[in-house]
Structures are given as C-alpha cells and as structure tokens.
Amino acid sequence: MALKAGILARKRSTWIAVSCLWLMASAPGWANEPAPERVQDLRYGWVLYNYHQGQAFDALTQLSVASVQGGIQGHGAHPALVEGGLLLSYGMTREAGELFTRLLGDDGKGSALSPEVRNQAWFYLGKVLYLEGDYQLAEANLNRVDGATLETSEPELYQEWLYLQARLAGQLASQPDPDAIGQFRDQLDPNAIWAHYLTYNAAMAELADGNGEAAIATLAELIRQMEAEAGDSPADNAEQQALVEKSRLSLARIYLANGRFDQAFRTLELLSAEGPFSDRALFEYAVAAAGQGEMDRALNAINVLSSRQLFSPWLQQVPYARGYLLEQMNRPAEALAAFQEAADRYARLEAELVTARTALNEDSLMARLEFQQDGDGKMTDAYGRLKVIPSDFGLSEILATESFQQALSELHDLYRMQAFLDDWQQQLASFELMLETRQLQRTARIKATRQALAEQEADQWAAEHQEYRQQITEALAREDYQFFMTAEQKELKTRLERVAESLAALPDDERTQRQRAQYRRMQAHFDWMIVDDYGVNRWAAQRQLRELDTAMAEFRSQRQTIETLMADDKQHQRLSDRLAARETELTSLRQELELALSEARGRLMAGVDQALLEQRKQMRSYRVASRHAQARLADRLYQLQSRQGAGDE
Amino acid sequence: MVKPLKSLIFALATGCAVLISGPALAQSGDNADDKSVAQSVESLKKQVIRLNRDLFILEEDLLFPASTQFAVFVSVDTGQFLKLDAVKLKVDGEVVASYLYTERQVQALERGGMQRLYVGNLKTGNHEVTAFVEGIGPDNRAYKQAATLDFEKGTGTAALEIRVQDRSSDYQPTVSIVAWD
C-alpha cells in the first residue's frame, strides 16, 4: 500500500521534474517563468534545441563535442547544470551525481550558482536516487539542500523535500526513528498533500507492526482531515481525492480483516463508483455485504464486476465468488452454471497462460505491451521510463513493478544504442569508401604530376644553369671584356672583323691605306668602348645570374614541395587512423552491448515467466475449486432430483 | 453460511495477494543486482556518448573541413508575433535546405534553442545567402518574409544565424541573417 502511495508520488513529481529541469537550464534569469536568454555560443544553442525536445542523447553528445573543442563560452556553469539535468533524464544518475558534486562542491556551496539552483540540483538528484531505491545516496544529496532557502524559493518542493526526508528516516534505519520522522512531520504544512502521504504511510507502518487499531484511527483521521480541506469541491484536487479513496479502501480492508463488516460496508459505500479503486472497492463491498448476511447486495456487486472486463489478476476470483454466493443463497442450479462458467473460464485462461509461457520470447512479450508513441517515437517520462500499458491481464501486475519498468527501460535504451551503433557502422563503412576513393584520386593525381614534372626536364635546366654560372665565374677571373659584351657590341665586333678581312684582301694602294687607317681608328674606339662598358656589362650579367639563381631556387623549392606532398600523406593517414580506431571501438562496444542486451533480455523474460507461472498456479487453484464445487452441486442436485423422483413415485 | 464464504473469499484474496506480491518481494532481494545492471548500462551509455562525439567530429573533419565548413543556424526570439512553420535556405541562388517544423521543435526554438539548419562546404570568397521564413503572423494570417546577406567566406569555419525576432514597435516579426565570428 505504501508502494502505491509512492507510485502516486512519482506520477505527481514527473511533471514537476520536467519543468524544474527546465528552470535549471535557464537558471541565469532565475524566476518562475524565465525568459530565454540569447545564447552566446552556437553549440550551446544547439544543445538547448535538443534539450528542449527531450533529446538527451543528442544534447549530451553536443556538450561532449563542445568540451573537447574549447568548451562553451559565455554561459558560466550553466551548461554543466544543463548537462546534469540531461544525465538525470537519460538515466545516468551516478554520472549526474558526480557532476553535481564537482560543480557545486561536496558541501553544496562551492560554486557561484545561486543557492536556489544548487538546491534544485541536489533535490532532484536525491529524489531520483530515492526512486531508484538508493536510500543512502538519496539521503546524502537531500541533506545538501538548504531547507530555509528552498522553503522561500520553492515552497512546494520544500514540502516534498520534508516528505522524502521523513520517508528516508523510516526506511534507512533498522528501526524507524519516530522522533526523526516526527521532526520532519512537524515542519510539514498539515494541509499539504505530502503531509497526507506521510500520514497514510504511517498508518500502513502501524498495520505492518500489527497495530490495526492505531492504523484505523490514523486513516480515519486522515480521511476526515482531507474531506474537510476539500470542502464542497473535492474534484478540484484530483490527487487528494484519489488519496481519500485509497485511504477509505485501506480502512475498509482493515475492518474486513478484523471482521467488522458493518464498518467496512459503510466505509466502502462512500467510495466513488467511477474512481481508480472502484473495482477493488466493489469486490471488498461484496465481501463486506456477505459478511453482514446481505447476499443479494453481495451478488449484485459481484454481478456488476462480472459484467466488466476482468483485466487484473485479482479480479479472476470474481467468477468463482459469484458461484459461491449463489450456492450460499441456496440457488444450486444457478450456482452450478456459474461454477461451470467459472471453471471453463479458468481452464481457458490457464491454457492461454501455458501457451503464452511456452511461446514466451521477446517478440511475443513486446506484442503484449502497447507503447505510447508520439511523432518522435516511444514516449518516456522525465526519468526516461517508457509509457507503456499491457494488452492482456497476465502482464498488468508485473508491469506495475519498479524492477520490470527498469528492466524494460534498460532494454529499450540498449536497443536504441544498438540501432545507433548499427547506423554508425554503416556510416563508417561509407567513410572508409570515401577515404579509399580519395586515395585513388590522389594516386592518379600524383601520377599525372610526375609526368608533368618529367616533361619539364628539370635536370637539363639545372645543368645549363650551372654551366652558365661557371662561364661567368671564369670570365670574371680572366677579366674577359669580350665575354660580357652586349649583343650590339658583339654584332659590332663581328662587323669590324668582317671589315678587317675585306681590307686584308684589297691591294695595298692609297685608298686602301686610308680605309685601313679608318678601320684602326674604329677598332681603337671599339676597344676603348668595350673596356669602358666592362663594369656595366659585368654588373648586368651578374644581375641576370642572380635572377636566374632565384628562379632556379624557386623552381627547385616548388618541385621539392610537390615531391613532399606526393610522398607525405599525413592528413589522409591521420584520418584513416582515426577511422580505424573508431571502428575498433565501435566493434568492442557492440560486443559489450550485445552482452548487456542478452542479460537485460534474460532478466526481463525471467521476471515475466515467473509472473505467468504464478498466475497459472492461481488459475489452476480457481479451476480446481470451481470443479469441486461443480461436483458437489451436481451431486446435491442429483440427490434432490432423486428424492423428488422417489416422492413422486 | 457466512463463515465459509468469508473464509473462502479471504483465502482466495489472501492467496492472490501473496502471489501478486511475490515478484515485488523478489524485487527487493534483487536490488543489488538491479543496481549493478543499472551501473553497467550507465557505463555503456557513457561510452556510447563518447563514441558518438568522436564519430561526430570525425564526420565533420571528413565531410566539412574547417577551411570550407559553412553552417546556418535558426533561432526564434519569443515567437509572439510569428508561429514558425517552415524555413527555406538559398546559397548563391541554389536551394540547399528547407525545413518544416513540428510543434515541439518550435517550442524548443522559442525556449532559446538553435537549430543547425544546414552544414556544407563553401569556397573562400563572396557569397549570397537568402532565407525564406514562413509561418502564422499577427492576426492569424499567413506570413512570409525573406532576408538576404552578402558575405565573404574566409579560410576558417563560417557560421550564420537566421534570426526571427519580435518587433514590439509595430507588433511584427522580423527576419535577419547574422554572421557569427
């Protein structure tokens, strides 16, 4: 019963967790409805886009990318706080705890974040750990919350915090400490729903201790108080109304257990016919009515239940109870028919359960569960639990257990990870293909480049350059004026030589004598000019040599660069290495995942198999009891008919 | 007559309760196992996130090297005057991205998130980017607006933001394209 209240508490808290995780995300403004601030870092904006769509995995990946690429700038510690919230919603509670501890300090005061933000971080971490059943860690984190600050900033959370503390005081100690629980209870607002949950759980603890009278008094007082608070419009607070119904049902059961049928009957009559516990109440009502000897009322209640879909395992006793009531009302023929019907039903259900167990595998299990979906896939709550409802009665009870829910969520998470890794496996194969293609293209380009380089005849150019350099050096050493002549001067020299040859062939007359004298003057002028221009010519030649040296150096350098680029493939190699490393990592992770999947699947199947086995045993006991009753009634009817026949004769 | 009924129904009810509570009791016994399984699943999740990060970076290095990478983001400031419906992006006259938004995505944008609408490669030099934004504007009327930006792509990563803002002066939305450093 306390567990049920716990589940109620969890349902209630889910939407609060969602909204408050959002508050944590937008903490810079820190108000009840903070206006979003313009992001200073594109990556952070991207993280928030995923975060607000509940895509924790993508958001966490982006945060991780940011962390290896210089971090998120301009938002202080808030990205880390968002990461904590994301880790919580992605089911990474321990990572979230470590992050919050690092971020906020062991004493919860070691950061520049406001006390309100720190409080929320500790509170939600503590609460998630509490829901996971890790009470020690839950207490450690809840103790870090500054109660006074929380009371001022978040009065509702403060009430829940007190409630959780009180529950932990009862659950952690080998012997619950009434003083510690009382201390928290005294601080709770007596009208808050959390105070009522605490009172309800206290009544259940009293009952568990064998103190039924104390439990009755506690529950009666709780119901009185909640009804007084609800006033004329109880429907305004559905959660409190549900707790009232739950408390009444529990109270009636205690009365029934103590044989106080009248009080049980009166308590059950107050229960709503359409509430969440109406079927259960109707059944208890039938028991109470029968206890008071009001068989017609009991039968009416059982008939109402019979007309409904008998979905829950506990409702399977209704067909038998109907037969039994009819028998007790001395309507043996109807009772016989009812038992016949009940036995057939149990036989059918038993056969179904045997078939279900025999054919139990993951696919058949999933086929019996209806996962609630929206446009973005399967729906989960703020803690990553799947929203799922069973499609047959055999799974309704086990589905309500925390361990089954956890196993189902884990399986779901593992499958999502597997699908994700499968996608990456394909992606990596295409990357590999891309790198191979790039390598082939590169090889082809290198071949073409080598061909072009070969066509440049670089060696010949280098040899000519060397020869030219050597000639100039030697001419300089010789002070060879003629070597450095300009093209015009060289042409002039050739012409003078041709003139000299012509003069040598002419007869030695006066005219020739004049011409030779003129030639000598021209030759002398030419020689003087060559000597005079030597410095200029030499400098021009040396300048050209330097320019050639520079050009040749550049030519060699470019060739060297090309050669290096062709020989050195570091970038491609680095990418290939990274790809290979990721492929290895991916393969290893897939193996680990396969193992984890197998374990999770095994745990889930074992749990379901056990539940189906228990239900089959239950159906068999109902069937056997129905058959016995059938035999008994048939015998009785036969004897009656025999006696009537004998009387007639 | 009442007594047997009572005892039988209670026997059935008690049996039922015991049977039902079986798995619940077993659950508390398996708590340590559950915790260890949860821890190993958590450890796997951590490894998968890290691997996803490395693969994401590798993918970007392969497909969109920093020297040519060009990304366009979308942001919405409050969204009071425009309910975003679709965005189309043109780069140098060619449509490179168009996107229809779901309700959840719009809400994520209105809460400060930024969507990476497009990532691709662009040569250094001058380029023209045009964004067409469609949605439901003031007075519940269909709204369409375009914004253009001429920008010079350098040798590093280039990032632009299509910014949809509310303009309180005339109660109209505005669309602009902003370059990030």
Side-chain angles (χ1 to χ4, degrees):
Chain A
M1 289 177 187
L3 178 68
K4 289 272 184 186
I7 289 169
L8 275 175
R10 183 152 66 88
K11 282 177 181 165
R12 169 196 157 79
S13 63
T14 303
W15 71 267
I16 299 175
V18 174
S19 59
C20 288
L21 284 174
W22 155 232
L23 286 179
M24 282 165 64
S26 56
W30 195 252
N32 285 333
E33 289 295 333
E37 288 194 356
R38 170 152 290 288
V39 295
Q40 308 297 315
D41 189 305
L42 283 172
R43 183 82 63 185
Y44 189 50
W46 194 1
V47 167
L48 290 180
Y49 182 65
N50 288 319
Y51 171 74
H52 290 307
Q53 290 182 76
Q55 294 164 345
F57 179 71
D58 294 324
L60 284 168
T61 299
Q62 286 309 319
L63 280 169
S64 187
V65 171
S67 75
V68 295
Q69 292 183 341
I72 285 171
Q73 309 300 321
H75 291 278
H78 293 105
L81 205 56
V82 167
E83 188 176 0
L86 285 166
L87 288 169
L88 276 182
S89 69
Y90 195 49
M92 297 173 71
T93 322
R94 276 143 206 90
E95 282 290 317
E98 284 171 21
L99 188 145
F100 283 141
T101 309
R102 270 201 315 274
L103 184 65
L104 308 176
D106 274 333
D107 59 356
K109 294 169 183 168
S111 100
L113 291 165
S114 68
E116 290 86 351
V117 177
R118 292 203 301 258
N119 266 348
Q120 287 212 4
W122 295 130
F123 173 80
Y124 283 108
L125 182 60
K127 182 174 168 177
V128 171
L129 288 164
Y130 175 82
L131 291 171
E132 286 185 358
D134 195 337
Y135 298 137
Q136 268 91 9
L137 261 181
E139 189 191 35
N141 284 288
L142 288 173
N143 279 341
R144 288 165 165 165
V145 173
D146 179 351
T149 307
L150 190 66
E151 186 177 12
T152 313
S153 63
E154 297 288 331
E156 274 204 38
L157 281 196
Y158 174 68
Q159 296 296 320
E160 192 178 352
W161 176 68
L162 290 171
Y163 167 81
L164 289 172
Q165 299 264 77
R167 294 285 294 144
L168 283 169
Q171 280 161 328
L172 271 175
S174 52
Q175 279 294 315
D177 179 3
D179 290 343
I181 299 172
Q183 190 189 339
F184 291 116
R185 187 202 305 278
D186 292 344
Q187 293 177 66
L188 270 168
D189 174 359
N191 297 325
I193 188 76
W194 300 110
H196 301 328
Y197 280 131
L198 200 58
T199 307
Y200 179 87
N201 286 323
M204 294 304 106
E206 286 164 345
L207 187 64
D209 287 345
N211 196 349
E213 287 306 316
I216 287 171
T218 306
L219 283 174
E221 174 56 23
L222 175 64
I223 293 166
R224 190 203 59 72
Q225 191 186 343
M226 286 195 286
E227 280 184 327
E229 284 169 21
D232 297 330
S233 54
D236 286 351
N237 190 340
E239 187 179 356
Q240 187 153 319
Q241 189 57 31
L243 187 56
V244 171
E245 300 263 299
K246 177 83 186 160
S247 304
R248 281 209 177 100
L249 186 63
S250 301
L251 182 60
R253 279 178 173 173
I254 302 172
Y255 283 142
L256 283 172
N258 290 296
R260 292 155 72 171
F261 295 104
D262 183 40
Q263 285 165 297
F265 190 71
R266 274 188 276 124
T267 306
L268 288 166
E269 273 189 327
L270 294 169
L271 272 166
S272 159
E274 302 298 328
F277 309 108
S278 59
D279 283 356
R280 179 73 79 163
L282 207 54
F283 186 78
E284 307 283 0
Y285 178 89
V287 175
Q292 280 199 307
E294 298 196 31
M295 293 302 180
D296 286 334
R297 283 193 177 194
L299 187 61
N300 282 342
I302 290 294
N303 281 340
V304 170
L305 278 176
S306 301
S307 66
R308 292 187 184 168
Q309 193 187 2
L310 301 179
F311 193 69
S312 304
W314 68 267
L315 272 171
Q316 303 311 318
Q317 59 197 316
V318 167
Y320 178 85
R322 185 168 178 272
Y324 201 90
L325 273 172
L326 287 166
E327 186 183 359
Q328 298 305 313
M329 291 165 78
N330 207 17
R331 289 153 66 176
E334 288 173 76
L336 181 62
F339 278 126
Q340 174 72 49
E341 198 181 316
D344 290 348
R345 176 185 170 81
Y346 295 136
R348 198 175 61 250
L349 285 177
E350 213 184 321
E352 278 176 20
L353 285 168
V354 169
T355 311
R357 259 194 94 208
T358 313
L360 182 64
N361 58 31
E362 202 183 329
D363 291 340
S364 67
L365 170 63
M366 294 307 160
R368 298 164 78 184
L369 299 173
E370 286 175 20
F371 294 91
Q372 289 181 270
Q373 305 214 7
D374 63 7
D376 296 304
K378 291 189 174 100
M379 289 165 73
T380 56
D381 65 12
Y383 302 103
R385 304 277 160 79
L386 292 162
K387 292 187 176 176
V388 57
I389 48 175
S391 58
D392 70 43
F393 88 97
L395 292 177
S396 60
E397 289 291 337
I398 190 171
L399 192 63
T401 62
E402 185 70 15
S403 63
F404 184 82
Q405 287 277 355
Q406 272 187 8
L408 201 60
S409 287
E410 277 160 15
L411 197 66
H412 178 63
D413 284 345
L414 289 170
Y415 273 128
R416 280 173 61 183
M417 284 193 265
Q418 194 184 43
F420 161 80
L421 292 184
D422 286 348
D423 287 348
W424 267 120
Q425 186 81 53
Q426 287 181 4
Q427 193 85 331
L428 285 189
S430 69
F431 287 170
E432 210 168 329
L433 189 68
M434 188 191 300
L435 279 178
E436 276 173 21
T437 311
R438 279 188 192 177
Q439 184 63 12
L440 285 174
Q441 286 174 339
R442 180 183 155 79
T443 309
R445 276 207 301 273
I446 287 174
K447 195 177 168 188
T449 308
R450 286 208 186 284
Q451 178 70 28
L453 286 177
E455 284 169 5
Q456 282 181 338
E457 296 176 335
D459 292 344
Q460 190 185 331
W461 280 101
E464 283 181 16
H465 170 230
Q466 189 56 36
E467 192 183 338
Y468 184 45
R469 163 175 283 282
Q470 194 176 347
Q471 282 175 359
I472 289 176
T473 309
E474 285 171 3
L476 279 172
R478 290 195 306 269
E479 290 196 345
D480 187 346
Y481 306 116
Q482 292 186 1
F483 182 84
F484 294 104
M485 285 188 300
T486 64
E488 288 168 353
Q489 288 169 339
K490 279 181 180 168
E491 192 191 340
L492 205 57
K493 182 173 182 286
T494 308
R495 281 168 66 190
L496 280 171
E497 282 168 356
R498 270 205 306 270
V499 169
E501 279 172 22
S502 301
L503 286 174
L506 291 175
D508 196 14
D509 55 15
E510 189 182 341
R511 187 170 167 228
T512 304
Q513 290 291 334
R514 274 200 316 273
Q515 286 173 337
R516 282 178 181 158
Q518 189 180 359
Y519 167 76
R520 279 194 296 276
R521 282 198 303 276
M522 285 194 312
Q523 182 64 46
H525 177 75
F526 178 76
D527 289 343
W528 172 83
M529 187 177 72
I530 293 299
V531 172
D532 192 49
D533 284 353
Y534 173 67
V536 176
N537 290 348
R538 188 188 58 191
W539 177 83
Q542 282 177 321
R543 192 188 68 178
Q544 280 181 2
L545 180 63
R546 279 197 301 275
E547 283 173 0
L548 184 63
D549 284 347
T550 308
M552 284 302 289
E554 195 177 338
F555 177 67
R556 276 196 300 270
S557 165
Q558 279 179 349
R559 279 183 68 98
Q560 187 58 43
T561 306
I562 291 169
E563 290 288 350
T564 308
L565 282 172
M566 286 192 296
D568 177 23
D569 198 6
K570 272 184 192 160
Q571 196 187 358
H572 182 271
Q573 195 53 49
R574 269 199 299 268
L575 284 171
S576 292
D577 290 348
R578 279 168 66 189
L579 192 61
R582 296 293 86 80
E583 274 179 334
T584 308
E585 206 176 329
L586 189 68
T587 307
S588 148
L589 206 49
R590 276 164 68 96
Q591 284 165 354
E592 270 188 67
L593 200 60
E594 198 54 57
L595 203 64
L597 260 170
S598 165
E599 283 173 10
R601 208 181 283 132
R603 264 172 12 103
L604 199 70
M605 291 300 114
V608 174
D609 188 56
Q610 183 63 25
L612 292 176
L613 179 65
E614 300 291 356
Q615 282 162 20
R616 191 188 156 200
K617 283 182 190 166
Q618 195 180 334
M619 289 307 122
R620 188 188 294 160
S621 69
Y622 290 152
R623 179 174 55 80
V624 169
S626 299
R627 294 286 185 220
H628 283 164
Q630 256 181 282
R632 189 175 61 243
L633 280 166
D635 188 44
R636 190 176 152 199
L637 282 169
Y638 174 74
Q639 285 178 8
L640 269 173
Q641 282 167 357
S642 299
R643 273 202 294 274
Q644 278 175 354
D648 291 344
E649 284 172 17
Chain B
M1 192 184 285
V2 168
K3 199 108 183 170
L5 170 68
K6 184 178 69 180
S7 59
L8 181 58
I9 290 180
F10 269 120
L12 286 168
T14 311
C16 178
V18 169
L19 290 172
I20 289 167
S21 62
L25 290 173
Q27 174 193 342
S28 59
D30 290 345
N31 205 21
D33 279 349
D34 286 352
K35 213 180 277 183
S36 114
V37 172
Q39 278 173 2
S40 68
V41 171
E42 189 169 336
S43 158
L44 271 174
K45 284 179 178 173
K46 191 176 170 182
Q47 288 181 66
V48 171
I49 289 170
R50 199 165 46 219
L51 178 65
N52 195 32
R53 174 198 68 193
D54 292 343
L55 289 170
F56 178 88
I57 295 171
L58 177 63
E59 184 181 34
E60 287 215 332
D61 288 349
L62 267 172
L63 304 181
F64 315 111
S67 55
T68 56
Q69 191 180 110
F70 167 65
V72 179
F73 290 78
V74 176
S75 75
V76 174
D77 269 7
T78 75
Q80 269 187 317
F81 305 138
L82 178 73
K83 209 72 194 161
L84 187 64
D85 190 25
V87 171
K88 191 164 73 177
L89 180 72
K90 272 187 179 182
V91 177
D92 297 329
E94 191 185 334
V95 176
V96 294
S98 52
Y99 201 88
L100 280 172
Y101 292 88
T102 65
E103 182 68 28
R104 191 188 285 191
Q105 286 164 342
V106 171
Q107 281 174 8
L109 288 171
E110 288 173 359
R111 287 176 169 185
M114 290 174 88
Q115 177 212 12
R116 190 166 80 163
L117 176 70
Y118 172 76
V119 61
N121 293 301
L122 214 53
K123 282 195 286 191
T124 52
N126 294 317
H127 298 276
E128 184 191 70
V129 175
T130 308
F132 301 88
V133 174
E134 290 179 48
I136 304 296
D139 303 323
N140 225 19
R141 283 190 303 205
Y143 182 91
K144 192 171 182 177
Q145 192 176 332
T148 297
L149 178 77
D150 291 315
F151 80 106
E152 189 182 348
K153 164 82 176 65
T155 50
T157 301
L160 303 180
E161 178 191 351
I162 300 171
R163 195 176 282 179
V164 182
Q165 282 177 295
D166 287 337
R167 190 168 54 208
S168 52
S169 59
D170 57 357
Y171 303 104
Q172 290 288 320
T174 61
V175 178
S176 56
I177 302 177
V178 182
W180 280 69
D181 294 329

